[in-house]
Amino acid sequence: DAKTTQPNSMESNEEEPVHLPCNHSTISGTDYIHWYRQLPSQGPEYVIHGLTSNVNNRMASLAIAEDRKSSTLILHRATLRDAAVYYCIPAVSTGANSKLTFGKGITLSVRP
Amino acid sequence: EAQVTQNPRYLITVTGKKLTVTCSQNMNHEYMSWYRQDPGLGLRQIYYSMNVEVTDKGDVPEGYKVSRKEKRNFPLILESPSPNQTSLYFCASRHGQRAYNEQFFGPGTRLTVL
């Protein structure tokens, strides 16, 4: 499985953009990059995923480096509700058990 | 509303007393799995199921059993719980086999084994 490296924690101010980085230098060419987040006392929640191109949805944007060795999750305007642990996960696209392997993630704190 | 439900949400039990944690999804998903989450260890997969009557071990299957008799349900069975199975458990489901499909997680079951 591809290894990921994320900072342990980040802080942001409310209503400011947040850029959450992830290094995944060993990712294979067919692995999608997923981001999930886990709010306090809840199950993980899907945020976004992509393969090569940058992706946008209602929650966030995902910027993927051209060499695919890193990606950045962008929250355009952080709210207090965005305080959570964010996981960057290379999702193996082949094999019988295409599972998600969660690392430690980034703990995002949002200041009012 | 599309969701994964788990019951019970909280459970305190004693060593050796068999228990079942239920998991149900209403999205007609083929793939379901169980994870446990422990401080410092993150989420680890216990068992998974590709479809009805198709189950297999994940990374930490010892001490657990599962069954998949219906597509919507995927119960986790602890036949003889031990204190090292005290943990937070999550059930998840997704459409199809491929990991690039969005995975939906339940709210979690906090289990304490005394």
Side-chain angles (χ1 to χ4, degrees), chain A residues 22-88:
Chain A
C22 180
N23 286 325
H24 33 76
S25 58
T26 60
I27 195 170
S28 81
T30 55
D31 290 351
Y32 280 73
I33 298 151
H34 280 237
W35 284 79
Y36 280 74
R37 72 180 185 181
Q38 188 172 16
L39 284 79
S41 303
Q42 294 190 25
E45 172 188 36
Y46 168 83
V47 178
I48 201 166
H49 77 279
L51 185 60
T52 55
S53 305
N54 294 344
V55 184
N56 301 296
N57 67 19
R58 63 174 177 81
M59 288 181 72
S61 296
L62 177 60
I64 302 171
E66 201 168 326
D67 62 8
R68 291 189 10 101
K69 293 185 177 182
S70 65
S71 61
T72 301
L73 179 71
I74 303 163
L75 307 179
H76 295 286
R77 290 183 68 203
T79 68
L80 296 178
R81 195 190 172 278
D82 291 322
V85 179
Y86 287 78
Y87 300 97
C88 163

Side-chain angles (χ1 to χ4, degrees), chain A residues 71-112:
Chain A
S71 61
T72 301
L73 179 71
I74 303 163
L75 307 179
H76 295 286
R77 290 183 68 203
T79 68
L80 296 178
R81 195 190 172 278
D82 291 322
V85 179
Y86 287 78
Y87 300 97
C88 163
I89 305 170
V92 178
S93 61
T94 59
N97 179 23
S98 300
K99 65 180 179 182
L100 299 178
T101 300
F102 287 79
K104 291 184 167 43
I106 304 172
T107 299
L108 174 66
S109 304
V110 180
R111 291 184 290 254

Side-chain angles (χ1 to χ4, degrees), chain B residues 49-104:
Chain B
S49 170
M50 303 288 250
N51 215 321
V52 176
E53 302 290 3
V54 182
T55 64
D56 208 344
K57 297 175 182 177
D59 298 319
V60 288
E62 294 77 22
Y64 304 94
K65 284 177 58 178
V66 292
S67 70
R68 188 92 181 272
K69 293 184 170 54
E70 303 164 287
K71 199 171 187 180
R72 64 182 295 125
N73 296 324
F74 189 44
L76 180 70
I77 303 154
L78 285 71
E79 299 233 327
S80 184
S82 62
N84 64 13
Q85 293 178 297
T86 292
S87 187
L88 181 57
Y89 292 86
F90 291 102
C91 180
S93 74
R94 70 163 184 252
H95 172 65
Q97 298 181 16
R98 298 304 181 212
Y100 49 66
N101 292 328
E102 176 183 352
Q103 196 152 173
F104 293 80

